[in-house]
Amino acid sequence: MTEQSFAGLPATSIRDLKEHDGQRVLVQGWLYNMRSKGKLHFLMVRDGTGIVQAVMFKGNVDEAVFEQAKGLTQESSIRVLGTVKLDERAPGGVELGVDEMHIVHQAGEYPISPKEHGAHFLLERRHLWLRSKKQSAIMRIRDEAIRAIRDFFHERGFFCVDSPMFTPAACEGTTTLFELDYFDEQKAYLTQSGQLYGEASAMALGKIYVFGPTFRAEKSKTRRHLTEFWMVEPEAAYYDLDDVMTLAEDFVSHIVRRVLENRRAELDDLERDVSKLEPAANAPFPRITYDEAVKLLHENGHEDFPYGEDFGAPHETAIGAAYDRPVMVHRWPADIKAFYMKRDPENDKLALGVDMIASEGYGEIIGGAQREDDLEALETRIAEHELPAESFEWFTDLRRYGSVPHGGFGLGLERTLAWICGVEHLRECIPFPRMLHRIYP
Amino acid sequence: MTEQSFAGLPATSIRDLKEHDGQRVLVQGWLYNMRSKGKLHFLMVRDGTGIVQAVMFKGNVDEAVFEQAKGLTQESSIRVLGTVKLDERAPGGVELGVDEMHIVHQAGEYPISPKEHGAHFLLERRHLWLRSKKQSAIMRIRDEAIRAIRDFFHERGFFCVDSPMFTPAACEGTTTLFELDYFDEQKAYLTQSGQLYGEASAMALGKIYVFGPTFRAEKSKTRRHLTEFWMVEPEAAYYDLDDVMTLAEDFVSHIVRRVLENRRAELDDLERDVSKLEPAANAPFPRITYDEAVKLLHENGHEDFPYGEDFGAPHETAIGAAYDRPVMVHRWPADIKAFYMKRDPENDKLALGVDMIASEGYGEIIGGAQREDDLEALETRIAEHELPAESFEWFTDLRRYGSVPHGGFGLGLERTLAWICGVEHLRECIPFPRMLHRIYP
């Protein structure tokens, strides 16, 4: 048995219909939408790979089938057989001339209609909302981006190394940690970053990337916050800050290029203005120092921005607006950056860190650095930051046994997708978003 | 600046040295091992991609460098410059004739020596243990398997869909759930399987796979248990049990084939007997019913095995031993299988489930099924299993709105790797294993 064929025909994906002009095919999917006009039903059928218009002319099907089609409800599952016809005017460039149809399941009254629904209503029905044209387009772009990310690192000799979700201590700050009872009175914390494990792995495998879920227990309700999100974190031995920046710009331009090449139809579904995205498909990206970024702010409506502070969303927007593609800001005041960043040998007050700020107001998508590779300097920082030395014993080991210059960065997947897709809310960029008041469905 | 070159030469990966016969190259890595003989030092240098023998002849380097090399400690980081010479007798088929060397960092006395260490000692130093030949070989095979998995699904039109880590309720059983405080007195549970979310996503995107960490709070200390492990779970609309089994055998044979093709050197490092693995590179795999498997047990030393029970490790070993490649056992007593499995239309006491049992005693690596697609039947099962109906409301929605026959399976990454690598313990198949008494480092 197989469900992958019917009436002797193997199923064809809607995405592939163009290659079957003039042939009789089987499409298995769901009714997305329908309108009728006299002796014609126009069925918009979706199968997850796309949507096709299936035209049912009364004279071409059994009379009973034509009658059945009249009563079809939205999201009913159907098998449609018919002949492919290339037609530039049709959505997707192809139409199906139906000669047979079978109803697999007549759907009950579907709760999500084309009318506007509130965010809460849709999030409560995320399992169904995913079927909509825009949401499924974002998910296909997400799939493409994930693949582009993995291809990029593979082609450059980076190995995928999965860092643990359960960790014994915080990497950066403790206020936003999810804590849980492990066994026998022990506490474990959900990872906020795989970086420290990535550093250890880079010492073993040379060049690696961590790519998995990370967690932040932030009590924020903004459109930029998820409690659970995916982060990709490359780390490489024998890399300095310049190597990290070159990797970062090559990386982001590669992702954008791949989505533009392979997911143009989806970007159209999202009504994305791709002309604003296209410059980001080409590295290099501009690089400015923190000092230069502050000057830029002072000259562009943020006269009062105090030197030495971190940028907020309006500042990131102003800096991003000055360029047609993402911009990298490097050499930050060490005081506002993480303990593990190496100091600039030319100015001890600066850390060799870099943030990449996306264009169009989407803010920071990458944070990276060259790491402190000197044991004594690192131990001093750990003490200064009042971090528990014993929890970092293994991490400082990396500076005891064959320390090397090294660096890497972290890219937030959902933030990057929000920018690429041109959507406002991170919650639409992950299949089942987790937020302050949401762990259902 | 860049650390990717030195003295005007770009770094070359040890893996790529073969392509540079007769050329002068720069290798940046760590000293894995060294022996000396008169005017010669033989430095085994590792860089994460492999190990090369770098031969330093006193007459070819500065005298000071030759003296420095004498004092080099294990795991010191070094830059070595020299000429590549193909040599079949050398490990990796290539040797480096050194003319220059720079010490980046002289390592302190390295705690892991070639002598035998206990498991606890090594696990406490997992961040260093990963550098050893066998452990880094396993990690490179893991990387290859992950890539093979993603390529397989991509080539077949499956989209990657990440399921959430935080869930409101258990998918299978509640005794092994990790619970944590979410916000405002709410409880969340760490996912044990992405399947239910995978089903919802398959209704949206047709064919999908979930690939991420899963959690089991099992108080077991056996070599087969991790509290955190990675699982890949494809799910497809319009798939029946036969489609699921065909997918599973194509999938596993694809992974094995890819590792055999691209990671032969690593399998050699692990002293894996590949002749025992090679049959698994070719689908189809044998398929037997549960009834046939029980008969096989009764005839092979397990006369007392009671019909209707689940198989334990010795039973899986006996079944696996009957074949030269993995075997699929299908149509199980419904009573011992999950609530969401569809019943066999020809025998209501049987569930349309399938387990794949690896050869050589490595046990179950896949569990899958055709899912119950009838709303009433599913609701009856949920009630019979005394599961909270309201938590599954969204899941049953999938049978309200365009239900279709569908199915999928889950493959445990670390179990599969243990089998492919021929290693006894799952803990060696994940970079930083989490077990009953271990969340460090």
Side-chain angles (χ1 to χ4, degrees):
Chain A
M1 294 174 296
T2 175
E3 290 284 339
Q4 286 293 287
S5 67
F6 185 77
L9 265 184
T12 303
S13 289
I14 289 171
R15 163 177 50 194
D16 299 332
L17 285 180
K18 273 187 181 169
E19 298 153 28
H20 296 267
D21 186 35
Q23 294 171 26
R24 189 165 183 261
V25 298
L26 161 69
V27 168
Q28 306 195 117
W30 295 264
L31 185 73
Y32 192 64
N33 218 329
M34 192 176 98
R35 62 190 173 86
S36 298
K37 202 177 155 186
K39 294 180 176 179
L40 287 167
H41 294 315
F42 299 93
L43 290 73
M44 301 302 290
V45 182
R46 65 166 193 87
D47 73 348
T49 71
I51 296 179
V52 67
Q53 177 162 282
V55 183
M56 188 188 287
F57 174 59
K58 198 173 178 175
N60 288 346
V61 293
D62 277 357
E63 209 169 308
V65 168
F66 193 81
E67 285 305 307
Q68 267 190 325
K70 272 186 192 165
L72 268 182
T73 46
Q74 188 188 347
E75 283 302 321
S76 288
S77 42
I78 51 175
R79 293 191 174 94
V80 178
L81 296 101
T83 304
V84 179
K85 204 176 91 186
L86 290 186
D87 182 347
E88 284 202 4
R89 296 159 307 168
V94 67
E95 210 176 71
L96 201 64
V98 181
D99 58 54
E100 207 177 325
M101 184 195 75
H102 294 263
I103 301 175
V104 179
H105 179 245
Q106 172 84 9
E109 197 187 341
Y110 196 62
I112 303 178
S113 60
K115 75 161 192 239
E116 286 281 313
H117 296 284
H120 178 78
F121 180 92
L122 291 169
L123 286 165
E124 280 290 298
R125 289 159 187 82
R126 182 63 173 169
H127 55 294
L128 302 176
W129 188 25
L130 281 174
R131 302 181 182 190
S132 76
K133 191 157 77 173
K134 287 197 176 182
Q135 297 304 312
S136 64
I138 295 172
M139 290 303 118
R140 287 193 296 266
I141 291 172
R142 183 181 166 107
D143 167 82
E144 182 70 31
I146 291 169
R147 203 172 154 73
I149 287 167
R150 292 182 177 271
D151 286 346
F152 176 87
F153 289 120
H154 174 72
E155 285 159 15
R156 279 155 188 81
F158 286 67
F159 297 104
C160 172
V161 176
D162 299 304
S163 68
M165 301 295 111
F166 292 137
T167 65
C171 170
E172 303 182 50
T174 54
T175 53
T176 58
L177 275 178
F178 281 109
E179 179 188 285
L180 77 160
D181 293 321
Y182 204 66
F183 299 99
D184 304 331
E185 312 285 308
Q186 209 178 355
K187 296 284 179 195
Y189 305 90
L190 296 181
T191 184
Q192 296 194 306
S193 159
Q195 182 200 314
L196 306 194
Y197 296 97
E199 289 189 45
S201 306
M203 301 304 130
L205 294 162
K207 295 189 283 187
I208 66 92
Y209 68 100
V210 172
F211 193 3
T214 51
F215 306 88
R216 295 270 161 99
E218 280 180 296
K219 278 213 151 190
S220 303
K221 276 184 77 175
T222 82
R223 62 191 171 86
R224 282 195 175 186
H225 284 96
L226 296 169
T227 56
E228 182 188 315
F229 56 96
W230 282 65
M231 189 140 72
V232 53
E233 301 176 273
E235 189 75 33
Y238 293 100
Y239 262 47
D240 64 15
L241 180 64
D242 279 351
D243 294 321
V244 169
M245 289 199 280
T246 302
L247 187 74
E249 67 192 2
D250 286 349
F251 179 56
V252 170
S253 59
H254 169 87
I255 300 171
V256 170
R257 207 158 51 237
R258 280 277 297 266
V259 171
L260 285 170
E261 277 168 15
N262 298 332
R263 292 286 167 226
R264 187 61 72 117
E266 281 78 5
L267 292 171
D268 289 345
D269 285 344
L270 296 168
E271 295 163 33
R272 177 68 167 121
D273 180 353
V274 292
S275 71
K276 289 191 176 150
L277 201 54
E278 279 163 346
N282 295 299
F285 293 167
R287 300 178 185 188
I288 59 174
T289 62
Y290 173 86
D291 286 18
E292 289 165 339
V294 171
K295 193 184 288 179
L296 188 154
L297 284 176
H298 287 169
E299 289 166 1
N300 287 276
H302 294 275
E303 298 76 12
D304 301 335
F305 179 83
Y307 182 94
E309 288 203 3
D310 202 357
F311 302 137
H315 311 121
E316 289 181 355
T317 299
I319 296 166
Y323 303 92
D324 70 342
R325 64 199 70 193
V327 52
M328 290 188 279
V329 181
H330 59 92
R331 290 180 167 74
W332 290 69
D335 290 346
I336 56 168
K337 285 292 181 188
F339 74 94
Y340 49 70
M341 291 191 187
K342 192 176 178 69
R343 297 295 169 96
D344 187 347
E346 292 173 18
N347 181 348
D348 194 52
K349 292 204 169 345
L350 298 179
L352 293 176
V354 58
D355 280 8
M356 186 188 287
I357 297 171
S359 37
E360 299 173 75
Y362 283 92
E364 183 204 325
I365 53 173
I366 275 183
Q370 182 172 343
R371 320 303 186 188
E372 183 52 75
D373 53 3
D374 180 75
L375 177 62
E376 207 178 311
L378 185 63
E379 286 180 332
T380 304
R381 304 273 181 272
I382 288 173
E384 281 171 5
H385 282 75
E386 295 177 7
L387 294 164
E390 64 284 4
S391 299
F392 291 95
E393 192 70 15
W394 68 271
F395 182 62
T396 50
D397 266 0
L398 308 177
R399 281 75 178 168
R400 284 186 190 93
Y401 309 111
S403 190
V404 293
H406 65 288
F409 62 79
L411 171 135
L413 179 61
E414 289 76 17
R415 286 190 174 207
T416 306
L417 285 170
W419 164 55
I420 291 176
C421 294
V423 303
E424 206 183 330
H425 284 278
L426 293 193
R427 65 187 181 217
E428 295 185 29
C429 297
I430 189 163
F432 295 91
R434 295 316 190 219
M435 296 172 291
L436 182 51
H437 296 299
R438 168 143 321 271
I439 52 170
Y440 178 94
Chain B
M1 294 173 296
T2 174
E3 291 284 338
Q4 285 293 286
S5 67
F6 185 77
L9 266 183
T12 303
S13 290
I14 290 172
R15 161 178 51 195
D16 299 332
L17 286 180
K18 273 187 182 172
E19 298 153 28
H20 295 267
D21 186 32
Q23 294 170 26
R24 188 165 184 260
V25 298
L26 162 69
V27 168
Q28 305 195 118
W30 295 264
L31 184 73
Y32 192 64
N33 218 328
M34 192 176 98
R35 63 190 173 85
S36 298
K37 201 178 157 187
K39 295 182 175 175
L40 286 167
H41 294 314
F42 300 94
L43 289 73
M44 300 303 290
V45 181
R46 66 166 193 87
D47 73 349
T49 71
I51 296 178
V52 68
Q53 177 163 283
V55 183
M56 187 188 288
F57 174 60
K58 197 173 180 177
N60 288 346
V61 292
D62 278 356
E63 210 170 307
V65 167
F66 192 81
E67 285 304 308
Q68 267 190 326
K70 272 185 191 165
L72 268 182
T73 46
Q74 189 187 347
E75 283 302 321
S76 289
S77 41
I78 50 175
R79 294 190 174 96
V80 178
L81 296 100
T83 304
V84 178
K85 204 177 92 186
L86 289 186
D87 183 348
E88 283 201 4
R89 297 158 307 168
V94 67
E95 210 175 71
L96 201 63
V98 181
D99 59 54
E100 207 178 326
M101 184 194 76
H102 293 263
I103 299 174
V104 179
H105 179 243
Q106 172 86 7
E109 198 186 341
Y110 197 62
I112 303 178
S113 59
K115 74 162 192 242
E116 286 282 313
H117 296 283
H120 178 77
F121 181 90
L122 291 170
L123 286 165
E124 279 290 299
R125 290 159 186 82
R126 182 62 173 170
H127 54 293
L128 302 176
W129 188 26
L130 281 174
R131 303 180 183 191
S132 76
K133 190 157 78 173
K134 286 198 179 185
Q135 297 304 312
S136 65
I138 296 171
M139 289 304 118
R140 287 193 296 265
I141 291 172
R142 183 181 166 108
D143 168 81
E144 182 70 31
I146 291 169
R147 201 168 157 75
I149 287 167
R150 292 184 177 269
D151 286 346
F152 177 88
F153 288 120
H154 175 73
E155 284 158 15
R156 280 156 188 79
F158 285 67
F159 297 104
C160 171
V161 176
D162 298 305
S163 67
M165 301 294 111
F166 291 137
T167 65
C171 170
E172 303 182 48
T174 52
T175 53
T176 58
L177 274 178
F178 281 110
E179 179 188 285
L180 77 160
D181 293 321
Y182 205 65
F183 299 99
D184 305 330
E185 311 287 306
Q186 207 177 357
K187 295 284 179 195
Y189 305 91
L190 295 181
T191 185
Q192 296 194 307
S193 159
Q195 182 200 314
L196 306 195
Y197 296 97
E199 289 189 44
S201 306
M203 302 303 130
L205 294 162
K207 296 190 282 187
I208 65 92
Y209 69 100
V210 172
F211 193 4
T214 52
F215 306 87
R216 296 270 161 99
E218 279 181 297
K219 279 212 151 190
S220 303
K221 276 184 74 174
T222 83
R223 62 189 172 84
R224 282 194 174 186
H225 284 96
L226 295 169
T227 56
E228 183 187 315
F229 55 98
W230 282 64
M231 188 140 71
V232 52
E233 300 176 273
E235 189 76 31
Y238 293 99
Y239 262 48
D240 64 15
L241 180 63
D242 279 352
D243 294 321
V244 168
M245 289 199 281
T246 302
L247 187 73
E249 67 192 3
D250 286 348
F251 178 56
V252 170
S253 59
H254 168 87
I255 300 171
V256 171
R257 208 158 51 237
R258 279 277 298 265
V259 171
L260 285 171
E261 278 168 14
N262 299 333
R263 292 288 167 227
R264 187 61 72 117
E266 281 78 5
L267 292 170
D268 289 346
D269 285 344
L270 297 168
E271 293 162 36
R272 178 67 167 119
D273 180 353
V274 292
S275 71
K276 288 191 176 149
L277 200 54
E278 279 164 345
N282 295 299
F285 293 167
R287 301 178 185 189
I288 60 174
T289 62
Y290 173 86
D291 286 20
E292 288 165 339
V294 171
K295 194 186 286 180
L296 188 153
L297 284 176
H298 288 169
E299 290 166 359
N300 287 277
H302 294 274
E303 298 78 10
D304 301 335
F305 179 82
Y307 182 95
E309 289 202 1
D310 201 358
F311 302 138
H315 310 121
E316 289 182 353
T317 299
I319 295 166
Y323 304 92
D324 71 343
R325 66 199 71 192
V327 52
M328 289 187 279
V329 181
H330 60 92
R331 288 181 169 75
W332 290 69
D335 292 345
I336 56 168
K337 284 291 180 187
F339 74 94
Y340 50 70
M341 290 191 186
K342 193 176 176 69
R343 297 295 170 95
D344 187 348
E346 291 174 18
N347 180 348
D348 194 52
K349 290 202 170 348
L350 298 179
L352 294 176
V354 58
D355 281 8
M356 185 187 287
I357 297 170
S359 37
E360 301 173 73
Y362 283 92
E364 183 204 325
I365 52 173
I366 275 184
Q370 183 172 344
R371 321 302 185 186
E372 183 53 74
D373 53 1
D374 180 75
L375 177 62
E376 208 177 311
L378 185 63
E379 286 180 332
T380 305
R381 305 271 182 271
I382 288 173
E384 280 170 7
H385 282 74
E386 295 176 7
L387 294 164
E390 63 285 3
S391 299
F392 291 94
E393 191 70 15
W394 69 271
F395 182 61
T396 50
D397 266 0
L398 308 176
R399 283 72 179 170
R400 284 185 190 93
Y401 308 111
S403 190
V404 294
H406 65 287
F409 61 79
L411 171 134
L413 179 61
E414 289 77 16
R415 285 188 176 209
T416 306
L417 285 170
W419 164 55
I420 290 176
C421 294
V423 302
E424 207 183 329
H425 284 277
L426 293 194
R427 65 188 180 216
E428 296 185 28
C429 297
I430 189 163
F432 295 91
R434 295 320 191 214
M435 297 172 290
L436 181 51
H437 295 299
R438 169 148 315 275
I439 53 171
Y440 178 94

